[in-house]
Every structure is written in C-alpha cells, then in structure tokens.
Amino acid sequence: MVLDNIEKLLKKYENGETTLKEEQVLKNYFSSDTVAPHLEMYKPMFDYFLVNQQEQFTKDVPLKTKNIFNYKWISVAAVAVLMMGFYFSPIIANSDCNDLGTYCEPEQALEEVSKQLAMISNHFNKGTQTVGYLNEVDKGTSALGYLNEIENTTSIIFKN
Amino acid sequence: MTQTEFLNIVMPFKDKVFRLAKRLLVSTEEAEDATQEVLLKLWNNKAKIEEYKNVEAFSMTMTKNFCYDKLKSKQAQNLKIVHSNYEEKNTPLQKQIELNDSVSWVGRIIEELPEQQRVIIQLRDIEEYDYDEIAKMLDMNNTAVRVTLSRARKAIREKLTKTHNYGVR
C-alpha cells in the first residue's frame, strides 16, 4: 500500500507536479532503511538533496560601515589651526632672540664664553696631571734594560 | 540600518545563496567569493533594502545573475588549463573514490545538467521553495519552471538507473 503510494508520488515527482509536502514524504521514505529494491536507484538522489541542505557558508563577510567623510570638518579644523596661529604668533615675535638659546647682549656673551673657556682649561689641566703617572711606567721600562745584561751572558754560554 | 539589523535579515538565507552559487560555479572558493560579493552588494544598497518586498528572493535572483556573469566571463577568457599532452593511464584516485560514492555521483550528474536545470533543481529539491517563488526569482512563468524541473529530474533518474543497472563505469 505504502509502496503503491510512493510509486505514484515518484511519477508525479518526475512530472514536476508534486507539492512540497509530497516531496517531503518521498524524502522521508528514501532516507529510511526500508527502500524497495527496485526503487533503490532513487536513494542516492534524495540522500544527496538532504546532505546538500546542510552545507553552510562559513566565510566572514567584512561589512564596512561606510564612513561618509564630511568635508565640513576639514574647514572647521583649518579654522581652528588658523586661530591658534594668530593667537600664538605675537608671543613668538616679542621674545626676540631669547628662544634661540643665545645671548642678546654682546658683553654678556663675552662673559659667558670666557667662563666656559676657563672651565675647559681647568678640566684639561686635571687631565694632564693624571697623565703624569706615565713617567712611572718609563722608569719601569728602563729597569727592564738590565735584562739585556742577562741576555748577553746567556749568549756567551750558548756560544761555548 | 545597523550591522546587526542587516545580519538579522541576511543570516537566514546566506547559506542558500552560498549553495546556489556553489551549484552553478562548482568550486567552493568561487562560491564563497560570489556569496561575499552578493552580501556586500546588499550591504551597500542597504538603504533600499526596505523597499524590496522579498529580500530573500531578490538576493537569490542577484546570486543567479552574478554566477551567470561569472560563468560567461570565464568562457570568454578562452584560457583553459587542459592537459593536452598528458594522459593518465589509470583512473585518477579522486575519480575512483567519487565513483565509489554513489551520493557524490548524483552531484556529478547534476553538474552535467544545463545551468537553468541546475538552478531549478537546487531551488526546488534542496532549498524547497515553492513554484511561485522560483518563478519570481528566475523571472520565468510557473509552467516553464515545472517543465524544466521535470526534465531535470527525468535526466537525473535516467542516468541513475543506468549506473544502477550496469554498475558504475
């Protein structure tokens, strides 16, 4: 009885006349294990349909929220920068050469320079004092000169 | 429209879009690219999305058209990677495995069908849309859909019976 029904449905199915419900009946029948032997060739087809229903799209889609860039803001920023410029520029003009790290008065500059030079020469003298210790080394080497005497005597011994 | 709202609309049918694309383009990677493209197009036109009566049907139509374009441009490229001077004596391993597996055999049979029949089989037998929806998606009339579907089903059945009776060659 069931088989009769299935065969009828299959015929309708092939003619494209089945409703979705009837197709579901067919799918259920063929996914069971009790398929009549002469209908077995349909089984892979319905199995395939069922398997393919499961396939999923796994890739991510980069959804970019489009930032519609508003050019108005550029003008706002430009105005702000300009205002800052106007606000700070007088200060720079007033401060003359002080910001450049030099002295404005020549006398003051001379004083400073001589101070610096004096400091440098001070340090330099300290350096030469420590170098004085090198004389000691010289003395040591002259003492080593006596070794030559020993060499002379050994050469005499080896000659004999 | 925010991203979450958009995703809520798109999520239910994105797999269907992917499967349709895969049915037409065969390669999974290309189908993924196509799906991405379709979803991005939808996203870029999200302002208009509320005007569409049926977003799902609309995206399926879009997918179909997109894939047809892809296939056409592929044929036009005229560059095919075909071994002309190389012949494998044994059946390739992958083919052997495929032949053993009668379910994937069905997939290969469907692959050989004309594009339109493939689309309709996909929409009806796998995605289970009703005839009116399919007709709308493909811009065909109801009877034409039925006729094409019936042809496709008969073709599949014929090939299946052949392989069933003679064994897989």
Side-chain angles (χ1 to χ4, degrees):
Chain A
M1 203 45 222
V2 177
L3 199 60
D4 242 24
N5 195 18
I6 293 292
E7 274 173 359
K8 253 186 229 159
L9 280 183
L10 270 179
K11 199 157 252 175
K12 266 175 88 183
Y13 173 80
E14 265 176 22
N15 292 325
E17 288 160 353
T18 38
T19 61
L20 283 172
K21 254 188 196 165
E22 286 167 331
E23 280 170 25
Q24 203 54 54
V25 172
L26 280 175
K27 279 176 187 170
N28 286 339
Y29 174 75
F30 281 103
S31 63
S32 68
D33 291 328
T34 53
V35 179
H38 67 284
L39 295 178
E40 233 172 28
M41 68 265 195
Y42 286 104
K43 194 171 166 35
M45 180 165 79
F46 288 102
D47 281 349
Y48 180 81
F49 292 152
L50 286 177
V51 167
N52 270 260
Q53 273 173 3
Q54 313 297 325
E55 200 169 0
Q56 280 181 342
F57 177 67
T58 49
K59 207 176 171 188
D60 280 340
V61 181
L63 290 182
K64 279 170 273 162
T65 14
K66 247 199 264 164
N67 277 333
I68 303 160
F69 193 75
N70 211 336
Y71 286 96
K72 272 180 204 161
W73 291 109
I74 284 192
S75 60
V76 170
V79 166
V81 167
L82 274 177
M83 298 295 272
M84 297 256 282
F86 283 128
Y87 185 73
F88 285 115
S89 54
I91 298 171
I92 293 167
N94 287 338
S95 60
D96 284 333
C97 50
N98 269 338
D99 280 352
L100 299 175
T102 58
Y103 296 94
C104 299
E105 304 292 315
E107 278 176 34
Q108 208 184 347
L110 183 69
E111 221 172 89
E112 279 299 316
V113 167
S114 51
K115 229 196 260 173
Q116 300 296 329
L117 286 176
M119 202 166 81
I120 289 171
S121 62
N122 248 349
H123 282 289
F124 200 76
N125 285 339
K126 259 188 218 165
T128 49
Q129 271 167 24
T130 50
V131 169
Y133 290 117
L134 284 175
N135 287 333
E136 301 292 318
V137 179
D138 272 345
K139 272 184 204 164
T141 47
S142 61
L144 281 178
Y146 294 118
L147 283 177
N148 285 332
E149 302 290 322
I150 298 170
E151 229 170 83
N152 283 342
T153 48
T154 48
S155 62
I156 292 165
I157 291 168
F158 280 115
K159 257 183 193 170
N160 294 332
Chain B
M1 181 180 291
T2 61
Q3 267 194 33
T4 37
E5 276 179 297
F6 176 76
L7 286 180
N8 284 338
I9 295 175
V10 163
M11 273 300 146
F13 62 83
K14 71 165 178 29
D15 291 336
K16 293 181 182 180
V17 167
F18 171 64
R19 287 183 292 232
L20 177 63
K22 197 181 169 190
R23 175 70 53 223
L24 279 167
L25 299 174
V26 180
S27 124
T28 311
E29 284 76 25
E30 272 192 79
E32 276 174 350
D33 287 349
T35 315
Q36 208 174 38
E37 203 79 9
V38 168
L39 292 182
L40 277 179
K41 269 185 195 166
L42 274 179
W43 172 247
N44 289 337
N45 288 322
K46 59 184 184 300
K48 282 188 224 153
I49 227 170
E50 270 134 25
E51 290 169 27
Y52 306 139
K53 278 179 212 143
N54 188 344
V55 184
E56 184 172 337
F58 177 76
S59 354
M60 292 307 260
T61 314
M62 234 165 86
T63 314
K64 181 209 72 177
N65 290 337
F66 183 82
C67 292
Y68 277 0
D69 285 351
K70 262 268 161 92
L71 288 172
K72 248 185 225 160
S73 69
K74 233 197 230 167
Q75 280 161 5
Q77 272 169 7
N78 247 346
L79 184 73
K80 284 182 188 158
I81 302 173
V82 181
H83 308 288
S84 51
N85 52 1
Y86 169 75
E87 217 174 310
E88 205 172 9
K89 302 259 165 41
N90 308 323
T91 30
L93 184 65
Q94 194 187 344
K95 221 178 189 176
Q96 278 177 1
I97 294 166
E98 261 177 36
L99 292 187
N100 291 337
D101 187 354
S102 54
V103 174
S104 61
W105 178 246
V106 178
R108 293 192 38 162
I109 290 176
I110 296 177
E111 241 171 68
E112 284 164 13
L113 294 176
E115 279 159 19
Q116 202 180 38
Q117 292 185 14
R118 257 150 68 187
V119 173
I120 291 180
I121 281 279
Q122 174 75 20
L123 292 178
R124 177 68 183 187
D125 278 333
I126 296 176
E127 307 301 357
E128 299 178 345
Y129 286 112
D130 64 44
Y131 290 116
D132 291 332
E133 278 178 305
I134 297 175
K136 217 187 269 170
M137 282 173 198
L138 302 184
D139 199 18
M140 295 165 72
N141 67 39
N142 206 316
T143 34
V145 171
R146 280 170 198 263
V147 168
T148 318
L149 182 65
S150 152
R151 264 184 214 148
R153 281 172 173 172
K154 277 178 183 157
I156 296 173
R157 195 255 295 144
E158 235 166 68
K159 281 185 183 160
L160 269 180
T161 13
K162 245 189 218 165
T163 51
H164 187 74
N165 290 345
Y166 302 127
V168 179
R169 266 186 301 165

